[in-house]
Amino acid sequence: MIRSWLIRYGRRRRLIAAALAAISVTSAFIATRPATSATTVLAAARDLPPGPLHPQDFHPVALNHPPAGAVHTITAGQTLATPMRRGEPLTDVRLLATYPLPPGLVATPVRIADAATATLISPGSTITLLASYREGGPARQLAPDTTVLTIPRPKGVASAGEDGALIVLATTPSQAADLAAAQTHARLSITIKPNSW
């Protein structure tokens, strides 16, 4: 009986010793691990479409490992180039100023004749430019299925009457040249791809 008790006692001691050793190793790992400090970044307060940004669109969140290029403050005039989901951290590649255009494309400012038309589109919309020449004839299609990068005036505010509305498109260099020539001799209008509204 004494021998049986000693065997059980010995096993218990070994288990306790093993548990203490594991705790010691874990404590040493925690003590030597580099401390991580949370960084405060901005995350979307709601689902956001492309377009002008406002401070109320975001709220600060603390992240231990923020994504590269995380944005900490919103300044006036910044434009979101792509949609965002609620809770998603804002990074610099989401902003129009640093938005990477696909290879071979350039940002092309174009003035369309009807300023009110600009209120129907937003950054990310897919449009086709139409040129109606003064000498008559059918309108000519220019730059089909082109992506709107930004509309310099806030959405819903049109330019005055004859001045039309300025929009910036992602085009090829040859499309940009065609559009520049058309603007001097034609009235430009747009068609809008339905799924890009």
Side-chain angles (χ1 to χ4, degrees), residues 42-46 58 82-91 94:
L42 294 178
R46 56 186 176 83
F58 297 90
T82 57
M84 284 185 68
R85 288 290 187 194
R86 182 170 62 88
E88 182 181 341
L90 178 63
T91 58
R94 294 283 193 173

Side-chain angles (χ1 to χ4, degrees), residues 15-120:
L15 288 172
I16 291 170
L20 289 173
I23 291 170
S24 176
V25 169
T26 303
S27 298
F29 172 75
I30 291 171
T32 58
R33 186 177 58 183
T36 57
S37 58
T39 301
T40 301
V41 299
L42 294 178
R46 56 186 176 83
D47 286 352
L48 296 174
L53 293 180
H54 307 284
Q56 62 268 28
D57 293 334
F58 297 90
H59 60 84
V61 294
L63 297 178
N64 286 332
H65 302 287
V71 174
H72 306 282
T73 56
I74 291 293
T75 57
Q78 288 182 308
T79 301
L80 189 64
T82 57
M84 284 185 68
R85 288 290 187 194
R86 182 170 62 88
E88 182 181 341
L90 178 63
T91 58
D92 55 357
V93 296
R94 294 283 193 173
L95 300 175
L96 186 64
T98 53
Y99 184 67
L101 282 171
L105 297 187
V106 294
T108 305
V110 175
R111 189 168 291 280
I112 55 176
D114 183 3
T117 305
T119 65
L120 303 175

Side-chain angles (χ1 to χ4, degrees), residues 107-184:
T108 305
V110 175
R111 189 168 291 280
I112 55 176
D114 183 3
T117 305
T119 65
L120 303 175
I121 58 176
S122 61
S125 293
T126 302
I127 66 170
T128 294
L129 272 291
L130 301 174
S132 301
Y133 291 89
R134 295 186 181 96
E135 58 268 23
R140 182 177 156 213
Q141 191 179 92
L142 301 172
D145 292 336
T146 304
T147 301
V148 176
L149 293 178
T150 188
I151 303 166
R153 281 183 154 301
K155 187 176 178 182
V157 178
S159 298
E162 300 172 355
D163 293 337
L166 185 66
I167 59 177
V168 183
L169 308 174
T171 71
T172 65
S174 63
Q175 287 173 329
D178 289 343
L179 288 168
Q183 287 184 94
T184 61

Side-chain angles (χ1 to χ4, degrees), residues 8-20:
R8 283 198 305 271
Y9 178 72
R11 284 181 186 157
R12 247 185 238 141
R13 284 186 63 186
R14 284 193 295 274
L15 288 172
I16 291 170
L20 289 173

